[in-house]
Amino acid sequence: MCGIVAYLGNKSAYPIMIKGLQRLEYRGYDSAGVALLNGSLTIIRRKGKVKDLEDFAVGKNLSGTVGIGHTRWATHGKPDDRNAHPHLSGNGRLTLVHNGIIENYDTLKKALEKLGHVFHSETDTEVLVHLIEEIQTRDNLVIEEAVRVALQKVVGAYAIVVIDKEDPDKLVAARKASPLVIGIGTDDFYIASDATPIVEYTKKVVYLNDEEIAVVKKDGSLQIFTISNEMQKPHIQQLDMELERLEKEGFDYFMLKEIHEQPRTIADGMRGRMNAEEGWIRLGGVAEYVNKMSKAQRFIIVACGTSWHAGLIAEYLFEDLARIPVEVEYASEFRYRNPIITENDVVIALSQSGETADTMAALEMAKEKGALIYGLVNVVGSSIARLTDAGSYIHAGPEIGVASTKAFTGQLTLLTLMALKLAYLKGTITNSYFHELLTELENIPAKIGKILQNAEQIEYIAGEFKGASNALYLGRGYNFPVALEGALKLKEISYIHAEGYPAAEMKHGPIALIDENMPVIVIANNKSAYEKIVSNIQEVKARRGVVIAIVEEGDEVIKHIADYTIEIPATEEPLSPLLSVIPLQLFAYYIAILRGCNVDQPRNLAKSVTVE
Ligand code: G6P
């Protein structure tokens, strides 16, 4: 996690740093800091958000056309001013920002202390800047060479940008397992953890690869070489990202904007990939692998967080429609439990950011074992997108709110297309059902639009429960993972404890918790298990529980049993999660707002978890 931004050129660096850090705040917001080079080094660091840094900077010398900035998600050392980046070398000559974890920092620190280095923070980053200083001074090296030698001694993950005060016309950047993008301006350079701070200035970018070091200079040159000192030719790419899509567009929070964007993002995810009338699905990124996929012994889906929930729904889709056995794994567990993977397996990574460290590591392991690896990500050019054999982008546009919404429905849309494509190839569903599902998929954006028009009712119900301390979410079949997702949304942004359960499992534990203070949210729009869900609702009511039910439009049965019903349009069961999750996103959003929470930046969380 953590966000990095850097600038070298002729413009004033400070405003570029601040704007860039604000765009990267989704990566962490425990502290923020900048270093500016203006003859001497000015370093300003502050616990809290970028806004706190800005307030703190008022009245200070903020001049300088070279700068590095950082927004932190704490790993080593608590979030305070002392541990905030940039960190300074002992001789005051070098300063750096870092995203990642130096795993052997303790050993390095002890060795450096023996050599007389004194540390002022608890961070692994300060150890790294001292290590570079030690090597530079000992061997009298230019900064890029000192960085290269130092990184050979480092175990772990890093994206860094370094300033050397004595070499003021250059910046040195390096990466391993944490992302870094270099933007090439007309006569300047921008460096950042992702392209969002860069797009405003240039669309020409180079994504740094693992174990590469880049040197950008005021004379306009860009040099890339590896840690083992091999020169690399920079691969310049064109960014496909619009600045307007990074703004809030009149919504109070990015999360609300992103919830409301879903009719469009789902349509974008389908665009050019299917035609219901003509009855075809084309997924460019997998075209040459689709036969292999249809013959796969099994699919293993690896993911974290909300993406893992999308994976659980995919299990229903692939098994139900395409009859392919599926296992869905938390990437963090999968990578450490010596799993059995064969060449006949297809391993699918689901990730909004394309940078989640555990998901990356799980994929790398699967690749080594010979499985076909397929990535379904949102962020174009991200690490997972570049690692996989095949992949598809979900085209949801930048997702800034930490709690994932439109990326989730984007993933579901693409997973549905994949399952239908494979089902068609394998002949596991009838032609008419294939056509019905495709046609209905095209109707989904408009149906979500209809649910969004009902936001006021959901806001009202949220108001009734804003004081709750616990909540239970129940669902069955395709909608069981939606219950998990609804509970996750509520807990991550409103800090109300919530659990998702398969409705029938309620009897094996959670039923003991039910009383008149416990809202029970039941996703009841399934057609197949409808009677069973009605019975589950009766069971909750019999224990004086308060039921909020998500039902199909026109449902007359549940309306008379549940305390509140939220109607959503009818749809085909495999597509029902695309609709049922929308009121749950809104419900969590409104409760969090009513409780005064910052929904875009919930405490302790980060959007992109690039540490394990
Ligand atoms: C973090 C985010 C979640 C996200 C998860 C997985 O926990 O806060 O919203 O679902 O990471 O991230 P990914 O980018 O791999 O989908």
Side-chain angles (χ1 to χ4, degrees), residues 1 26 302-309 350-357 359 376-379 384 399 401-405 407 411 485 488-489 492 602 605-609:
M1 357 264 253
Y26 73 87
V302 292
C304 305
T306 289
S307 295
W308 185 74
H309 294 155
L350 301 182
S351 176
Q352 186 288 127
S353 62
E355 301 293 349
T356 302
T359 310
L376 217 148
V377 305
N378 189 32
V379 177
I384 290 177
E399 191 181 64
V402 165
S404 185
T405 51
Q411 288 167 334
E485 176 58 10
L488 176 63
K489 287 283 91 71
E492 62 186 344
L605 295 178
K607 180 123 195 95
S608 180
V609 183

Side-chain angles (χ1 to χ4, degrees), residues 419-470:
L420 281 172
K421 173 90 190 171
L422 294 169
Y424 184 77
L425 280 179
K426 295 182 70 176
T428 46
I429 55 172
T430 61
N431 265 351
S432 63
Y433 191 39
F434 175 79
H435 276 94
E436 260 169 59
L437 285 174
L438 264 193
T439 308
E440 180 55 13
L441 198 53
E442 278 188 339
N443 296 333
I444 290 291
K447 291 189 175 180
I448 292 181
K450 205 164 173 207
I451 300 170
L452 293 170
Q453 282 168 10
N454 197 20
E456 255 178 46
Q457 185 214 359
I458 299 168
E459 185 176 7
Y460 168 76
I461 299 173
E464 300 286 281
F465 293 98
K466 64 174 191 281
S469 326
N470 296 288

